[in-house]
Amino acid sequence: QGRHSPADLFLCSMAYLVNVLPMERSQTQPQDQVVVSGQSVTLPCVIVGYRGMVQWTKDGLALGGERDLPGWTRYSLMGDALSGEHSLLIDSAELADDAVYECQATQAALRSHRAKLTVLVPPGDPVVEGGPVVKLKAHTPHNLTCRASGAKPAAEITWYRDGEIQESAIYSKTLMEDGKREAAVSMLPLVPDDKDSGRTYTCRVLNPAAPAGRQTSVTINVQHPPSVTLSVQPQTVMEGAKVLFICSASANPEITGYRWSKGGIPISEANGDSLEVTVDHSYFTDPVSCEVSNSVGSTNVSTLVDVQFGPRLLSEPKPLVVDIGMDAAFTCSWTGNPPLTLAWTKQGSSVVLSNSNTLQLKAVTQEDAGTYTCKAIVPRIGVAERDVTLTVNGPPIITADATQHAVKNSKGKLECLVGSSPPPEKIVWTFGDVSLSAGTSGRFTVQTVTSDRGVLSSLILSETHAQDFELRYNCTAWNRFGTGTALVILKEQGGALPMLIIVGATVGGGCVLIICIITLVSLCCRNSVKGELGRSNSCCQRGGGLHSHCLVTYRDRSILDAFRRELRNLLRGSSN
């Protein structure tokens, strides 16, 4: 504990006073304040009884001790320094002024409370993307977006539609690069339709720096591809008639063009809102399309014409060759308008086998072979049909007359027809001890001819003998499915036919002769009556009766007798 001089004791006392009572002399200290950007603000600082230098710090940085604060053009110290007034005036506060301030009496080591100056920045005018006229596509979801940037704090955003508040907006905010201001975004989801076109949407923003708020309005222009209606006049027509297609459309923006097509194929000569054509059956199945375009897009509408037409074949039935016992199926497809009726029949029969497109035949036999007809009937319009053949492979089927005739001692012939499928591999005639399939053996020759009906085999006899009429003749054919046989008997063709001819000629001649006699007698009677009229009358009337001798009064009786004799001879010859 050394001893100190009086001067040292004074200095110690002064230091004690300064540190222990740091601002007790100060009557006014700065407080936290909030100011709107552009406004002026004063941070008060009054230190009574202090005559030394006073300075302000901003976020710990000294602003300087001079009253006009060189280098800080908007900053200055206000008040009477002799009275201890050292308030800081900030003119037209800016965001950069947003800081923590402190008033310091440097020589007395006095410091005020720290005061936070908060500078509020109002949002700029809101910006609605796409404004002032927002073009939207009808029925396509869209977010109407409003942005408010540079505000401190972030702006609140409210949407209005024709003055009515909208609650469905999605709000978000982000801190800007300066770390103090914020950008706010509000998105209002829309699915616009035509009735929304022309409506006004308003985006209003506000924050404490702009409590009255700011707003921007936009008008919605709902655009859409053309709305198209395609009609045809008349709707129902007969094939070959004319029809008019009318393509009615409305659009926003305006229509830029029309394009017509039929069945997907463009109609190059058509480019307006109507099309006149002469229709055929294809217009019943191939639609006519009208495509209308504008800058937003295009709309394609199609229509068919109710064309009435007779049956038209779509799928022709194919001929079939099947083995006996197998199934067979024919398919035949037609189209017509009005709807048609199908009927399957077999030639030679009127029985309807099926009314569907397909004719099913189960386990076919050779009797099923033949021609089948697929007939299509369109009521009041027309009928059409297609034939198709069914060939059934099976054993040979032989057709032959059981009794065949020949004239004795003349040339004779026996025939059998093999009409099955496949064609016969061999045809043999057997009779007595003879077996002959081709060529000549003695008086017998076999000839074979192929035709549409089948294979015709003929056994030719160069001269028939009596024993030929006593034999049985077998016509036998073979193919891979088996054999077939037909038995034929040869009958002698006697004189019956010539006698019939003679009798007929005799009777005919006799009739002619009788007619001539009657004619001649009539003429003679006519001449005799003229000469003997008086005598005949008296004779015939005599005694009031009729006498036989009165009937023969002809002048030339020899002629009549000659005719009678000739007639008797003719009749006697006929009876012999």
Side-chain angles (χ1 to χ4, degrees), residues 547-573:
H547 301 278
S548 59
H549 68 275
C550 297
L551 297 176
V552 183
T553 58
Y554 296 102
R555 185 173 300 172
D556 193 355
R557 304 184 66 173
S558 61
I559 296 176
L560 181 59
D561 293 338
F563 277 128
R564 289 174 177 172
R565 287 194 299 270
E566 188 66 28
L567 179 59
R568 282 196 298 270
N569 292 334
L570 179 61
L571 295 176
R572 186 180 302 113

PDB file of all heavy atoms in Angstrom, residues 547-573:
ATOM      1  N   HIS A 547    -138.759 -94.148-147.650  1.00  0.00           N
ATOM      2  CA  HIS A 547    -138.436 -95.447-148.238  1.00  0.00           C
ATOM      3  C   HIS A 547    -136.961 -95.494-148.559  1.00  0.00           C
ATOM      4  O   HIS A 547    -136.383 -94.511-148.994  1.00  0.00           O
ATOM      5  CB  HIS A 547    -139.261 -95.683-149.512  1.00  0.00           C
ATOM      6  CG  HIS A 547    -140.731 -95.627-149.241  1.00  0.00           C
ATOM      7  ND1 HIS A 547    -141.438 -96.710-148.742  1.00  0.00           N
ATOM      8  CD2 HIS A 547    -141.663 -94.640-149.399  1.00  0.00           C
ATOM      9  CE1 HIS A 547    -142.722 -96.406-148.606  1.00  0.00           C
ATOM     10  NE2 HIS A 547    -142.868 -95.136-149.002  1.00  0.00           N
ATOM     11  N   SER A 548    -136.334 -96.677-148.387  1.00  0.00           N
ATOM     12  CA  SER A 548    -134.892 -96.811-148.580  1.00  0.00           C
ATOM     13  C   SER A 548    -134.477 -96.571-150.009  1.00  0.00           C
ATOM     14  O   SER A 548    -133.384 -96.078-150.264  1.00  0.00           O
ATOM     15  CB  SER A 548    -134.433 -98.206-148.126  1.00  0.00           C
ATOM     16  OG  SER A 548    -135.108 -99.217-148.873  1.00  0.00           O
ATOM     17  N   HIS A 549    -135.323 -96.986-150.967  1.00  0.00           N
ATOM     18  CA  HIS A 549    -134.903 -96.804-152.353  1.00  0.00           C
ATOM     19  C   HIS A 549    -134.872 -95.327-152.731  1.00  0.00           C
ATOM     20  O   HIS A 549    -134.283 -94.948-153.716  1.00  0.00           O
ATOM     21  CB  HIS A 549    -135.851 -97.584-153.283  1.00  0.00           C
ATOM     22  CG  HIS A 549    -137.259 -97.013-153.318  1.00  0.00           C
ATOM     23  ND1 HIS A 549    -138.209 -97.354-152.387  1.00  0.00           N
ATOM     24  CD2 HIS A 549    -137.857 -96.165-154.193  1.00  0.00           C
ATOM     25  CE1 HIS A 549    -139.351 -96.733-152.666  1.00  0.00           C
ATOM     26  NE2 HIS A 549    -139.160 -96.003-153.785  1.00  0.00           N
ATOM     27  N   CYS A 550    -135.522 -94.529-151.916  1.00  0.00           N
ATOM     28  CA  CYS A 550    -135.473 -93.084-152.186  1.00  0.00           C
ATOM     29  C   CYS A 550    -134.135 -92.458-151.841  1.00  0.00           C
ATOM     30  O   CYS A 550    -133.810 -91.395-152.346  1.00  0.00           O
ATOM     31  CB  CYS A 550    -136.577 -92.384-151.401  1.00  0.00           C
ATOM     32  SG  CYS A 550    -138.242 -92.878-151.880  1.00  0.00           S
ATOM     33  N   LEU A 551    -133.307 -93.099-150.963  1.00  0.00           N
ATOM     34  CA  LEU A 551    -132.022 -92.534-150.562  1.00  0.00           C
ATOM     35  C   LEU A 551    -130.982 -92.677-151.658  1.00  0.00           C
ATOM     36  O   LEU A 551    -130.034 -91.903-151.708  1.00  0.00           O
ATOM     37  CB  LEU A 551    -131.520 -93.224-149.270  1.00  0.00           C
ATOM     38  CG  LEU A 551    -132.407 -93.031-148.058  1.00  0.00           C
ATOM     39  CD1 LEU A 551    -131.842 -93.845-146.886  1.00  0.00           C
ATOM     40  CD2 LEU A 551    -132.519 -91.575-147.687  1.00  0.00           C
ATOM     41  N   VAL A 552    -131.098 -93.696-152.542  1.00  0.00           N
ATOM     42  CA  VAL A 552    -130.080 -93.903-153.581  1.00  0.00           C
ATOM     43  C   VAL A 552    -130.619 -93.331-154.869  1.00  0.00           C
ATOM     44  O   VAL A 552    -131.379 -93.981-155.613  1.00  0.00           O
ATOM     45  CB  VAL A 552    -129.772 -95.401-153.758  1.00  0.00           C
ATOM     46  CG1 VAL A 552    -128.653 -95.598-154.780  1.00  0.00           C
ATOM     47  CG2 VAL A 552    -129.426 -96.009-152.417  1.00  0.00           C
ATOM     48  N   THR A 553    -130.323 -92.071-155.066  1.00  0.00           N
ATOM     49  CA  THR A 553    -130.834 -91.387-156.247  1.00  0.00           C
ATOM     50  C   THR A 553    -129.710 -90.730-157.023  1.00  0.00           C
ATOM     51  O   THR A 553    -129.941 -89.869-157.857  1.00  0.00           O
ATOM     52  CB  THR A 553    -131.826 -90.302-155.826  1.00  0.00           C
ATOM     53  OG1 THR A 553    -131.180 -89.401-154.949  1.00  0.00           O
ATOM     54  CG2 THR A 553    -133.028 -90.917-155.119  1.00  0.00           C
ATOM     55  N   TYR A 554    -128.472 -91.075-156.698  1.00  0.00           N
ATOM     56  CA  TYR A 554    -127.322 -90.432-157.360  1.00  0.00           C
ATOM     57  C   TYR A 554    -127.207 -90.939-158.790  1.00  0.00           C
ATOM     58  O   TYR A 554    -127.456 -92.140-159.033  1.00  0.00           O
ATOM     59  CB  TYR A 554    -126.036 -90.714-156.593  1.00  0.00           C
ATOM     60  CG  TYR A 554    -126.061 -90.101-155.216  1.00  0.00           C
ATOM     61  CD1 TYR A 554    -126.309 -90.909-154.113  1.00  0.00           C
ATOM     62  CD2 TYR A 554    -125.858 -88.746-155.044  1.00  0.00           C
ATOM     63  CE1 TYR A 554    -126.359 -90.353-152.847  1.00  0.00           C
ATOM     64  CE2 TYR A 554    -125.903 -88.189-153.778  1.00  0.00           C
ATOM     65  CZ  TYR A 554    -126.159 -89.000-152.703  1.00  0.00           C
ATOM     66  OH  TYR A 554    -126.185 -88.447-151.453  1.00  0.00           O
ATOM     67  N   ARG A 555    -126.774 -90.064-159.610  1.00  0.00           N
ATOM     68  CA  ARG A 555    -126.670 -90.383-161.016  1.00  0.00           C
ATOM     69  C   ARG A 555    -125.543 -91.348-161.287  1.00  0.00           C
ATOM     70  O   ARG A 555    -125.688 -92.277-162.058  1.00  0.00           O
ATOM     71  CB  ARG A 555    -126.478 -89.090-161.822  1.00  0.00           C
ATOM     72  CG  ARG A 555    -126.480 -89.271-163.337  1.00  0.00           C
ATOM     73  CD  ARG A 555    -126.458 -87.932-164.020  1.00  0.00           C
ATOM     74  NE  ARG A 555    -127.645 -87.147-163.627  1.00  0.00           N
ATOM     75  CZ  ARG A 555    -127.813 -85.882-163.956  1.00  0.00           C
ATOM     76  NH1 ARG A 555    -126.871 -85.190-164.571  1.00  0.00           N
ATOM     77  NH2 ARG A 555    -128.933 -85.273-163.626  1.00  0.00           N
ATOM     78  N   ASP A 556    -124.374 -91.179-160.621  1.00  0.00           N
ATOM     79  CA  ASP A 556    -123.221 -92.020-160.938  1.00  0.00           C
ATOM     80  C   ASP A 556    -122.922 -92.908-159.746  1.00  0.00           C
ATOM     81  O   ASP A 556    -122.155 -92.562-158.862  1.00  0.00           O
ATOM     82  CB  ASP A 556    -122.006 -91.165-161.279  1.00  0.00           C
ATOM     83  CG  ASP A 556    -120.920 -92.002-161.919  1.00  0.00           C
ATOM     84  OD1 ASP A 556    -121.086 -93.228-161.989  1.00  0.00           O
ATOM     85  OD2 ASP A 556    -119.889 -91.403-162.313  1.00  0.00           O
ATOM     86  N   ARG A 557    -123.639 -94.119-159.672  1.00  0.00           N
ATOM     87  CA  ARG A 557    -123.491 -94.996-158.525  1.00  0.00           C
ATOM     88  C   ARG A 557    -122.213 -95.792-158.619  1.00  0.00           C
ATOM     89  O   ARG A 557    -121.733 -96.316-157.617  1.00  0.00           O
ATOM     90  CB  ARG A 557    -124.698 -95.930-158.464  1.00  0.00           C
ATOM     91  CG  ARG A 557    -126.023 -95.147-158.411  1.00  0.00           C
ATOM     92  CD  ARG A 557    -127.200 -96.035-158.245  1.00  0.00           C
ATOM     93  NE  ARG A 557    -127.183 -96.684-156.954  1.00  0.00           N
ATOM     94  CZ  ARG A 557    -128.190 -97.422-156.482  1.00  0.00           C
ATOM     95  NH1 ARG A 557    -129.277 -97.612-157.192  1.00  0.00           N
ATOM     96  NH2 ARG A 557    -128.094 -98.016-155.315  1.00  0.00           N
ATOM     97  N   SER A 558    -121.597 -95.908-159.775  1.00  0.00           N
ATOM     98  CA  SER A 558    -120.350 -96.680-159.911  1.00  0.00           C
ATOM     99  C   SER A 558    -119.211 -96.020-159.131  1.00  0.00           C
ATOM    100  O   SER A 558    -118.341 -96.696-158.591  1.00  0.00           O
ATOM    101  CB  SER A 558    -119.966 -96.797-161.398  1.00  0.00           C
ATOM    102  OG  SER A 558    -119.747 -95.526-161.957  1.00  0.00           O
ATOM    103  N   ILE A 559    -119.207 -94.746-159.040  1.00  0.00           N
ATOM    104  CA  ILE A 559    -118.129 -94.035-158.299  1.00  0.00           C
ATOM    105  C   ILE A 559    -118.216 -94.358-156.846  1.00  0.00           C
ATOM    106  O   ILE A 559    -117.216 -94.652-156.177  1.00  0.00           O
ATOM    107  CB  ILE A 559    -118.235 -92.526-158.550  1.00  0.00           C
ATOM    108  CG1 ILE A 559    -118.001 -92.192-160.009  1.00  0.00           C
ATOM    109  CG2 ILE A 559    -117.203 -91.777-157.671  1.00  0.00           C
ATOM    110  CD1 ILE A 559    -118.188 -90.732-160.358  1.00  0.00           C
ATOM    111  N   LEU A 560    -119.414 -94.341-156.283  1.00  0.00           N
ATOM    112  CA  LEU A 560    -119.598 -94.642-154.867  1.00  0.00           C
ATOM    113  C   LEU A 560    -119.181 -96.068-154.559  1.00  0.00           C
ATOM    114  O   LEU A 560    -118.518 -96.330-153.540  1.00  0.00           O
ATOM    115  CB  LEU A 560    -121.055 -94.414-154.478  1.00  0.00           C
ATOM    116  CG  LEU A 560    -121.410 -94.666-153.019  1.00  0.00           C
ATOM    117  CD1 LEU A 560    -120.577 -93.748-152.115  1.00  0.00           C
ATOM    118  CD2 LEU A 560    -122.906 -94.435-152.780  1.00  0.00           C
ATOM    119  N   ASP A 561    -119.495 -96.980-155.405  1.00  0.00           N
ATOM    120  CA  ASP A 561    -119.116 -98.373-155.176  1.00  0.00           C
ATOM    121  C   ASP A 561    -117.614 -98.538-155.186  1.00  0.00           C
ATOM    122  O   ASP A 561    -117.025 -99.292-154.365  1.00  0.00           O
ATOM    123  CB  ASP A 561    -119.759 -99.271-156.262  1.00  0.00           C
ATOM    124  CG  ASP A 561    -121.279 -99.330-156.147  1.00  0.00           C
ATOM    125  OD1 ASP A 561    -121.754 -99.034-155.000  1.00  0.00           O
ATOM    126  OD2 ASP A 561    -121.940 -99.639-157.118  1.00  0.00           O
ATOM    127  N   ALA A 562    -116.958 -97.830-156.054  1.00  0.00           N
ATOM    128  CA  ALA A 562    -115.482 -97.926-156.115  1.00  0.00           C
ATOM    129  C   ALA A 562    -114.845 -97.411-154.812  1.00  0.00           C
ATOM    130  O   ALA A 562    -113.890 -97.995-154.288  1.00  0.00           O
ATOM    131  CB  ALA A 562    -114.966 -97.134-157.321  1.00  0.00           C
ATOM    132  N   PHE A 563    -115.350 -96.363-154.289  1.00  0.00           N
ATOM    133  CA  PHE A 563    -114.807 -95.825-153.023  1.00  0.00           C
ATOM    134  C   PHE A 563    -115.015 -96.797-151.882  1.00  0.00           C
ATOM    135  O   PHE A 563    -114.144 -96.964-151.036  1.00  0.00           O
ATOM    136  CB  PHE A 563    -115.458 -94.491-152.682  1.00  0.00           C
ATOM    137  CG  PHE A 563    -114.822 -93.322-153.398  1.00  0.00           C
ATOM    138  CD1 PHE A 563    -115.616 -92.433-154.129  1.00  0.00           C
ATOM    139  CD2 PHE A 563    -113.440 -93.126-153.358  1.00  0.00           C
ATOM    140  CE1 PHE A 563    -115.047 -91.375-154.782  1.00  0.00           C
ATOM    141  CE2 PHE A 563    -112.897 -92.054-154.028  1.00  0.00           C
ATOM    142  CZ  PHE A 563    -113.671 -91.181-154.756  1.00  0.00           C
ATOM    143  N   ARG A 564    -116.148 -97.459-151.868  1.00  0.00           N
ATOM    144  CA  ARG A 564    -116.431 -98.408-150.808  1.00  0.00           C
ATOM    145  C   ARG A 564    -115.466 -99.587-150.869  1.00  0.00           C
ATOM    146  O   ARG A 564    -114.953-100.044-149.838  1.00  0.00           O
ATOM    147  CB  ARG A 564    -117.882 -98.909-150.905  1.00  0.00           C
ATOM    148  CG  ARG A 564    -118.912 -97.855-150.522  1.00  0.00           C
ATOM    149  CD  ARG A 564    -120.319 -98.370-150.777  1.00  0.00           C
ATOM    150  NE  ARG A 564    -121.310 -97.392-150.340  1.00  0.00           N
ATOM    151  CZ  ARG A 564    -122.605 -97.480-150.568  1.00  0.00           C
ATOM    152  NH1 ARG A 564    -123.104 -98.522-151.295  1.00  0.00           N
ATOM    153  NH2 ARG A 564    -123.455 -96.568-150.128  1.00  0.00           N
ATOM    154  N   ARG A 565    -115.218-100.084-152.055  1.00  0.00           N
ATOM    155  CA  ARG A 565    -114.293-101.198-152.182  1.00  0.00           C
ATOM    156  C   ARG A 565    -112.885-100.818-151.724  1.00  0.00           C
ATOM    157  O   ARG A 565    -112.197-101.565-151.049  1.00  0.00           O
ATOM    158  CB  ARG A 565    -114.283-101.676-153.669  1.00  0.00           C
ATOM    159  CG  ARG A 565    -115.543-102.421-154.068  1.00  0.00           C
ATOM    160  CD  ARG A 565    -115.305-103.130-155.384  1.00  0.00           C
ATOM    161  NE  ARG A 565    -114.977-102.189-156.453  1.00  0.00           N
ATOM    162  CZ  ARG A 565    -115.904-101.621-157.234  1.00  0.00           C
ATOM    163  NH1 ARG A 565    -117.188-101.869-157.068  1.00  0.00           N
ATOM    164  NH2 ARG A 565    -115.517-100.804-158.211  1.00  0.00           N
ATOM    165  N   GLU A 566    -112.475 -99.640-152.101  1.00  0.00           N
ATOM    166  CA  GLU A 566    -111.117 -99.187-151.723  1.00  0.00           C
ATOM    167  C   GLU A 566    -110.989 -99.024-150.213  1.00  0.00           C
ATOM    168  O   GLU A 566    -109.968 -99.379-149.622  1.00  0.00           O
ATOM    169  CB  GLU A 566    -110.824 -97.847-152.416  1.00  0.00           C
ATOM    170  CG  GLU A 566    -109.373 -97.386-152.261  1.00  0.00           C
ATOM    171  CD  GLU A 566    -108.413 -98.304-152.975  1.00  0.00           C
ATOM    172  OE1 GLU A 566    -108.818 -98.933-153.975  1.00  0.00           O
ATOM    173  OE2 GLU A 566    -107.235 -98.400-152.511  1.00  0.00           O
ATOM    174  N   LEU A 567    -112.036 -98.568-149.556  1.00  0.00           N
ATOM    175  CA  LEU A 567    -112.002 -98.381-148.111  1.00  0.00           C
ATOM    176  C   LEU A 567    -111.922 -99.728-147.400  1.00  0.00           C
ATOM    177  O   LEU A 567    -111.167 -99.882-146.430  1.00  0.00           O
ATOM    178  CB  LEU A 567    -113.246 -97.606-147.663  1.00  0.00           C
ATOM    179  CG  LEU A 567    -113.367 -97.350-146.156  1.00  0.00           C
ATOM    180  CD1 LEU A 567    -112.144 -96.559-145.652  1.00  0.00           C
ATOM    181  CD2 LEU A 567    -114.651 -96.594-145.846  1.00  0.00           C
ATOM    182  N   ARG A 568    -112.687-100.739-147.906  1.00  0.00           N
ATOM    183  CA  ARG A 568    -112.642-102.061-147.293  1.00  0.00           C
ATOM    184  C   ARG A 568    -111.248-102.666-147.420  1.00  0.00           C
ATOM    185  O   ARG A 568    -110.720-103.258-146.473  1.00  0.00           O
ATOM    186  CB  ARG A 568    -113.695-102.976-147.947  1.00  0.00           C
ATOM    187  CG  ARG A 568    -115.117-102.712-147.450  1.00  0.00           C
ATOM    188  CD  ARG A 568    -116.032-103.872-147.825  1.00  0.00           C
ATOM    189  NE  ARG A 568    -116.123-104.040-149.273  1.00  0.00           N
ATOM    190  CZ  ARG A 568    -117.034-103.441-150.023  1.00  0.00           C
ATOM    191  NH1 ARG A 568    -117.919-102.624-149.493  1.00  0.00           N
ATOM    192  NH2 ARG A 568    -117.074-103.682-151.347  1.00  0.00           N
ATOM    193  N   ASN A 569    -110.630-102.504-148.569  1.00  0.00           N
ATOM    194  CA  ASN A 569    -109.278-103.038-148.770  1.00  0.00           C
ATOM    195  C   ASN A 569    -108.270-102.371-147.817  1.00  0.00           C
ATOM    196  O   ASN A 569    -107.356-103.008-147.277  1.00  0.00           O
ATOM    197  CB  ASN A 569    -108.849-102.856-150.229  1.00  0.00           C
ATOM    198  CG  ASN A 569    -109.645-103.728-151.187  1.00  0.00           C
ATOM    199  OD1 ASN A 569    -110.164-104.794-150.780  1.00  0.00           O
ATOM    200  ND2 ASN A 569    -109.762-103.298-152.439  1.00  0.00           N
ATOM    201  N   LEU A 570    -108.437-101.104-147.646  1.00  0.00           N
ATOM    202  CA  LEU A 570    -107.496-100.354-146.764  1.00  0.00           C
ATOM    203  C   LEU A 570    -107.614-100.801-145.329  1.00  0.00           C
ATOM    204  O   LEU A 570    -106.624-101.038-144.637  1.00  0.00           O
ATOM    205  CB  LEU A 570    -107.770 -98.842-146.883  1.00  0.00           C
ATOM    206  CG  LEU A 570    -106.881 -97.948-146.016  1.00  0.00           C
ATOM    207  CD1 LEU A 570    -105.404 -98.114-146.408  1.00  0.00           C
ATOM    208  CD2 LEU A 570    -107.306 -96.478-146.195  1.00  0.00           C
ATOM    209  N   LEU A 571    -108.842-100.991-144.863  1.00  0.00           N
ATOM    210  CA  LEU A 571    -109.053-101.416-143.484  1.00  0.00           C
ATOM    211  C   LEU A 571    -108.585-102.849-143.281  1.00  0.00           C
ATOM    212  O   LEU A 571    -108.045-103.206-142.238  1.00  0.00           O
ATOM    213  CB  LEU A 571    -110.526-101.268-143.102  1.00  0.00           C
ATOM    214  CG  LEU A 571    -111.057 -99.832-143.076  1.00  0.00           C
ATOM    215  CD1 LEU A 571    -112.567 -99.827-142.777  1.00  0.00           C
ATOM    216  CD2 LEU A 571    -110.299 -99.030-142.017  1.00  0.00           C
ATOM    217  N   ARG A 572    -108.771-103.706-144.307  1.00  0.00           N
ATOM    218  CA  ARG A 572    -108.327-105.087-144.191  1.00  0.00           C
ATOM    219  C   ARG A 572    -106.794-105.143-144.101  1.00  0.00           C
ATOM    220  O   ARG A 572    -106.235-105.891-143.318  1.00  0.00           O
ATOM    221  CB  ARG A 572    -108.840-105.895-145.411  1.00  0.00           C
ATOM    222  CG  ARG A 572    -108.530-107.406-145.294  1.00  0.00           C
ATOM    223  CD  ARG A 572    -109.046-108.165-146.491  1.00  0.00           C
ATOM    224  NE  ARG A 572    -110.460-107.982-146.662  1.00  0.00           N
ATOM    225  CZ  ARG A 572    -111.014-107.348-147.672  1.00  0.00           C
ATOM    226  NH1 ARG A 572    -110.266-106.795-148.613  1.00  0.00           N
ATOM    227  NH2 ARG A 572    -112.339-107.226-147.769  1.00  0.00           N
ATOM    228  N   GLY A 573    -106.133-104.299-144.866  1.00  0.00           N
ATOM    229  CA  GLY A 573    -104.657-104.271-144.811  1.00  0.00           C
ATOM    230  C   GLY A 573    -104.143-103.772-143.474  1.00  0.00           C
ATOM    231  O   GLY A 573    -103.136-104.237-142.951  1.00  0.00           O
TER     232      GLY A 573
END
